[in-house]
Amino acid sequence: MEPVKLDDLAASLARRGAPLTPESATFITLECVEALPAAPRVLSPDGVLVASDGVVSLVEEALSPALDDAEVLRGAVELLEGLLLVPSAAVMDLAERVREGSVQGRAALVAELTALLVPFNRSAARRML
């Protein structure tokens, strides 16, 4: 089975009344941030592919150029917020801290997203997808 675009997956799940779980949305965002190329790019759901085995990949030509790393981080939390019907308090807090600049750099965002996934591990998150 071919990978599907994240926006198509989210729309299909929403039509079925079963939106992405917060854990799945956080895991996908984490995988996206880690897969971003060195050149700053802004994530969008149509630039993210999800395979049937839960592997997340990016379509680089579908990613917009970013001015700096702060824009990359803002784009990542916007992706996460957009995947959730109702963002949790933890996600809203993370988004606010990213927007105000207290989370700086991709490594810091990866650490924050990883902390949101505790007690899930990557294998469990991939299986959930």
Side-chain angles (χ1 to χ4, degrees):
M1 185 173 185
E2 291 292 313
V4 296
K5 287 184 178 181
L6 179 57
D7 54 355
D8 293 339
L9 174 63
S12 175
L13 289 170
R15 280 192 304 273
R16 295 177 183 176
L20 277 172
T21 66
E23 294 82 9
S24 292
T26 303
F27 174 72
I28 289 169
T29 305
L30 171 63
E31 292 279 294
C32 289
V33 172
E34 290 183 331
L36 280 169
R41 297 282 189 266
V42 177
L43 293 165
S44 67
D46 66 334
V48 178
L49 299 175
V50 180
S52 60
D53 61 357
V55 173
V56 176
S57 58
L58 301 178
V59 179
E60 188 167 344
E61 53 272 4
L63 306 177
S64 304
L67 298 175
D68 56 24
D69 231 23
E71 188 176 4
V72 173
L73 301 185
R74 285 190 304 273
V77 296
E78 287 171 12
L79 175 73
L80 176 56
E81 290 174 314
L83 292 173
L84 299 170
L85 289 179
V86 180
S88 68
V91 168
M92 291 189 305
D93 176 63
L94 173 59
E96 183 178 327
R97 290 185 291 119
V98 164
R99 289 183 181 109
E100 71 185 15
S102 62
V103 176
Q104 296 183 355
R106 293 184 203 185
L109 182 58
V110 165
E112 294 281 348
L113 292 168
T114 301
L116 289 177
L117 285 170
V118 173
F120 291 95
N121 62 41
R122 287 176 189 251
S123 296
R126 193 166 279 119
R127 284 191 307 271
M128 280 180 18
L129 277 177

